Structures are given as C-alpha cells and as structure tokens.
Amino acid sequence: MLICVGGRGWYQEEGKEAVELLPGSVVNIPAGVKHWHGAAADSWFSHLALEIPGEEGSTTWCEKVSDEDYGKLK
C-alpha cells in the first residue's frame, strides 16, 4: 500500500494508465502486481509504503521506467 504524504507523483501498473498521486492518495497494490511509482517531473514526492506480511512474499525490483514513457506524464 502506498500513501502519498507530500508533493506530487505517479503510480502505474503494467498495462494500465498512470494515476496521479497527491497528498492523501492511497493505492492498494496486491501481491504480484508489476508497477512503478515515483515523483512527477516537476515535483518532489514523499510517501509511506506499507507491506502486509504474507506467505512467500518478496519484492522484485524491475527495469527502469523509460525516459520516453516517463516524459509522456504531465
């Protein structure tokens, strides 16, 4: 789960449109969902990340978001 606490950012699941994150935005991310999140190009971004313990859970760090894809976000 992500909770945006300051600034402005983006969250995007693989195959879906990006969602803007503003203070108070909450995103529930089910286990196994490939996604990325980070600051908007014109802002800083602060967030809380909460992980609910589960069986056989782990974090997999994926490839960098391309400059082309990131540049499309406004």
Side-chain angles (χ1 to χ4, degrees):
M1 177 183 297
L2 293 178
I3 303 170
C4 178
V5 296
R8 187 170 77 90
W10 293 102
Y11 168 82
Q12 185 174 26
E13 292 182 8
E14 185 174 40
K16 295 186 178 181
E17 294 293 318
V19 176
E20 184 178 35
L21 299 176
L22 299 169
S25 296
V26 177
V27 181
N28 183 40
I29 309 163
V33 172
K34 186 175 180 182
H35 71 280
W36 70 269
H37 61 277
D42 62 350
S43 180
W44 56 277
F45 174 63
S46 183
H47 68 283
L48 299 173
L50 306 171
E51 184 176 333
I52 310 305
E55 294 180 21
E56 299 181 32
S58 67
T59 298
T60 302
W61 296 98
C62 300
E63 67 279 355
K64 175 182 157 183
V65 175
S66 73
D67 290 339
E68 179 183 352
D69 287 341
Y70 185 78
K72 294 176 185 176
L73 304 172
K74 299 294 177 203

